[in-house]
Structure formats: structure tokens, C-alpha cells
Amino acid sequence: GAIPQAPARMRTQLFSALAALVLVVAASAQTPAPAPRVITLAECIALALDKNLDIQIRRLQPSIDLYNLDASRGYYDLTFNLNASQSFRASPPSGNPASRLFGVPSENYTELYGSSLTQQLGSGGNVTLNTDLTRQSGSSFTSFNYSSVADITLTQPLLKNAWIDSTRQTILLNKRQLKIDELALRDQVMTTVNSVQQAYYELVFARDNVRVQEASLELAEKLLADNKRRVEVGALAPLDEKQSESQVAARRSDLLSARRDLEVQVNNLKNLVGNDFSAWATTALEPADKLLAVAQTLNVQDSWRHSMALRPDLQQKKELIEKQNIVLRYNHNQLFPSLDLTLTYGHNSRGLTLPNGLNGIQRGDNQFYSYGIVLSFPLSNTTAKINYKSGTLTKEVLLLEFKKLEQSIIVEID
């Protein structure tokens, strides 16, 4: 009973295979052929400069650096402060025992209103303009007196944080980072343009190679047809016909490889000139320019000089060294003790009414001033010493990396 089932099973598999083949053919028939687009190298470069994702990413970084630089400069924004407070204090009677026993506790009520303007200085110090108004009552709460103060205070470091502090270091580092990322953008543009040129001419070569392989296959097929006729009339041995068939098979394989390489090169160029690969899916790029070898006269010494002056990667290394110089300058300044100069000058006034409490300041009466220095230093200063030594070694590493890159550039050019 099992023997008759085998042909039925084979027929079912045959029908299934035929149905699958029909579906594949129908699907391929419905897929539209890519529309050809003739494109020049100049057009590819222009598209890459506008759409290439690597360039777009690099183009955003300098803008981020500018925001960071502006944010670090915000430290020097003028700061305005307002304050208001109220306080009450009751104190026991003082004096002889009788007064302390039968006396009335003293009470004091105070209102304080103040404002100030503070400006950080580029020298590391700061200036503060301060005004205070005080309204105060005695123990009876039946009368108030008013007092006011207006003064200006200057604080200036003389050693540590004098020629550079953390804020100025951050600003200088942000400036250098902006320069580094601008050079990185330039380097990315140069790299992308070079890659587009390489991919474009690889595509030109791939298309020419397909034509060469098509012509080679056509010649091999023609030779095979000629050899078949000669074998039929007995003018050629059958072995030669087999060799011709082998050559045709080899040429077909070469043609398939050439067409595959052509598709790879098309996709590579599409990836470089666009930011949406799917939008290019229905486009077949056809290069308009030819693959021509143009003679150029080059001088090794001139090429070395140009590369040392213009290579963005080498200039980036220089900027990294300058960044480290800024860090070293800050670390060296932190080795010194903190010696700060303080200066204060102002006027004060007092009266039973608010106008009287302000008149003295308006007239410039009751001046006061003070000045002094504050010295502070850690006994060992371990952190500053280690940071300075570490920064010195980091600079040595950067100098060696610069020398290594410089040497590799010279070798590449040579």
C-alpha cells in the first residue's frame, strides 16, 4: 500500500516547487527597475557636504562648544541680591539685685532690609556694593530709630588664584576645545570628500569592469559556438569543446562577481552622499565622469611642509598640548599659599525718622574704611603637588604623541 503513495507525494512537492517559482517570478516582475541617475563627482561632493551623517554630527559639536563657552563666561554676570528679616529679643533686667528682681525686662524689635550688587573680576577678585537699612525699637515699642549703611568691598587674591583660577581655566579650556572640534570638522570634511572621490572612481571602475566581463563572456560564448561547429565537422577534438565550456563558465562567474562589486560600490557611494539610504533604493547611480589618470608633479619637501602646516589632525594635537599648558599653569598656581587683599569703604547714618536715617549717607557723613590681608595655606599641600607632577607627565605624553603623528605623516608622504 506504500508504493502508490510515493508518486503522489512527489507530484505534491513538484507542484509546490512550481507554485513557489511562479510567486518568485511574479514578485520580481512587480518590482520596478531602479531609475538611472547620471551624476558627476562635483554633485556627489556637494551632496556629501550637505547630507553626510558623519559631517552632520561633527558640524554640531562646535555649536555645543560655543554654548559651553558662553555658560562658563556666565560666572562674570552681575549678581543682584535682596534680603529682608525681622527679629525680636527679650532680655532680663540687669543691675543690682533689686533691679533684677523687680525690674522690667528689656525688649528689642529689629527690621533689616538690604541689597547688594556683586561683580566677579577677571583678576580673580570681586567687588560688592552693599546697602542696609535697619529699623529698630526700644523696650517701649513707642518709638523707632533708623540706621543705614552703604559700602563697597573689594577682595583680590595676590598669590593663589591670582593669575589664573578655576573659572578662567575653564574658559580657556573651552576656547581650545572649540578650536579642536572646528579642526575635527575640517578633518571630517576632508576625509569624507576623499572617500567620496575614492568611492566615485571605484564605481566608475566597477561599471567599466562589468562591461569588460560582458565582452569577455560574449567572446567566450562565440568561441564555444565556433568550437561546437568545428567538433561537429570533425575539425576539432571534443576536449577542446569542453575547455571552451569551462572558459564560458569562468567568464560567467567573473561577470557575476563584477556585477556584485558594482552593487557594493553603488551602495557605498549612496551611503556617503545621503542621510536616508532607503530614499536611494529606487535609484541607480551612473557616474558621468571618466576614470582618467592625470599626471601630477609632486615634491616631497613641499608636501612635508604643507602637511605640517595644514593637516587638521596634527593641528588638533597642538591644541591638546596648549590645553595641557593651561592645566599646568593652573596647577602651578595652586602650589602657592592663598593671600587675599580686602578693602572696604562706606558711610553710615542714624536718625529717628527714615529721612534722617538716610541723610548722612547722602551727605557722605560718618565714613568708615578697613583693609587687610588673609593668609591661608595647607601645611603639606599634597593635592596641588601631585596634580602638578601628574600634569607634567601628561604633557610629556602629548608631546610624544605629537612627535609620533608627525613622523607617521612624513613616512606616509614619503
Side-chain angles (χ1 to χ4, degrees), residues 19 61 88 110 167 219 240 248 260 263 298 317 335 344 350 353 360 369 393 395:
Q61 191 58 49
F88 172 78
T110 303
T167 302
L219 290 174
D240 292 330
V248 169
R260 181 186 61 187
E263 292 300 321
L298 300 174
K317 288 293 184 182
L335 297 174
T344 301
R350 187 182 300 273
T353 63
Y369 63 87
L393 293 178
K395 181 179 178 180

Side-chain angles (χ1 to χ4, degrees), residues 273-285:
V273 302
N275 57 6
D276 185 5
F277 186 82
S278 60
W280 293 86
T282 58
T283 303
L285 296 181

Side-chain angles (χ1 to χ4, degrees), residues 87-387:
S87 63
F88 172 78
R89 172 177 292 182
S91 303
S94 61
N96 55 53
S99 297
R100 290 197 298 269
L101 182 61
F102 300 104
V104 178
S106 63
E107 296 178 340
N108 184 273
Y109 178 80
T110 303
E111 296 178 3
L112 177 63
Y113 306 94
S115 64
S116 65
L117 281 173
T118 301
Q119 177 65 62
Q120 303 294 332
L121 303 177
S123 59
N126 62 77
V127 176
T128 300
L129 177 62
N130 181 70
T131 59
D132 288 322
L133 174 65
T134 303
R135 182 173 179 257
Q136 193 172 33
S137 72
S139 59
S140 63
F141 283 90
T142 58
S143 63
F144 288 88
N145 63 70
Y146 296 85
S147 62
S148 59
V149 177
D151 62 74
I152 185 171
T153 301
L154 168 67
T155 302
Q156 175 60 48
L158 302 178
L159 290 177
K160 182 179 179 180
N161 296 324
W163 53 84
I164 186 171
D165 56 9
S166 60
T167 302
R168 282 175 284 174
Q169 177 192 224
T170 301
I171 292 174
L172 292 174
L173 291 178
N174 286 340
K175 287 181 178 180
R176 291 293 175 179
Q177 189 60 46
L178 172 61
K179 182 66 175 178
I180 289 172
D181 286 325
E182 287 175 343
L183 290 169
L185 172 60
R186 181 183 174 189
D187 186 48
Q188 185 61 59
V189 169
M190 293 171 63
T191 300
T192 302
V193 170
N194 184 63
S195 298
V196 169
Q197 291 176 324
Q198 184 72 20
Y200 188 88
Y201 287 119
E202 289 287 352
L203 178 57
V204 173
F205 168 78
R207 290 184 64 83
D208 290 346
N209 189 40
V210 168
R211 295 190 184 99
V212 170
Q213 297 304 327
E214 288 174 343
S216 179
L217 176 60
E218 183 180 350
L219 290 174
E221 289 175 341
K222 182 179 179 182
L223 179 60
L224 175 60
D226 292 342
N227 288 343
K228 283 184 177 181
R229 287 193 296 268
R230 296 173 68 186
V231 169
E232 290 174 356
V233 298
L236 192 67
L239 181 60
D240 292 330
E241 180 183 354
K242 297 300 182 182
Q243 290 178 345
S244 298
E245 291 177 351
S246 176
Q247 290 295 323
V248 169
R251 298 291 79 77
R252 285 201 180 101
S253 177
D254 292 340
L255 178 57
L256 289 174
S257 296
R259 287 174 175 171
R260 181 186 61 187
D261 184 61
L262 175 61
E263 292 300 321
V264 170
Q265 298 305 329
V266 168
N267 288 344
N268 187 27
L269 185 59
K270 288 179 179 179
N271 184 47
L272 287 169
V273 302
N275 57 6
D276 185 5
F277 186 82
S278 60
W280 293 86
T282 58
T283 303
L285 296 181
E286 295 184 1
D289 300 335
K290 301 298 180 182
L291 187 59
L292 301 175
V294 180
Q296 278 187 290
T297 303
L298 300 174
N299 181 277
V300 175
Q301 299 292 336
D302 290 340
S303 299
W304 283 345
R305 283 192 293 269
H306 281 101
S307 64
M308 295 301 107
L310 301 177
R311 288 258 313 221
D313 52 351
L314 196 62
Q315 293 179 8
Q316 282 180 279
K317 288 293 184 182
K318 291 181 181 179
E319 291 298 325
L320 287 174
I321 295 173
E322 291 302 322
K323 281 187 68 175
Q324 189 59 28
N325 285 335
I326 296 170
V327 174
L328 274 178
R329 183 184 175 195
Y330 173 76
N331 290 342
H332 181 257
N333 189 218
Q334 297 304 299
L335 297 174
F336 291 84
S338 176
L339 182 64
D340 296 341
L341 172 67
T342 60
L343 300 173
T344 301
Y345 177 83
H347 296 270
N348 62 76
S349 179
R350 187 182 300 273
L352 295 178
T353 63
L354 180 58
N356 290 335
L358 297 174
N359 284 339
I361 294 179
Q362 294 175 348
R363 294 192 302 267
D365 296 340
N366 306 316
Q367 68 175 350
F368 62 90
Y369 63 87
S370 66
Y371 55 88
I373 58 174
V374 179
L375 177 64
S376 172
F377 59 90
L379 295 180
S380 61
N381 207 12
T382 303
T383 301
K385 292 177 181 177
I386 291 177
N387 287 340

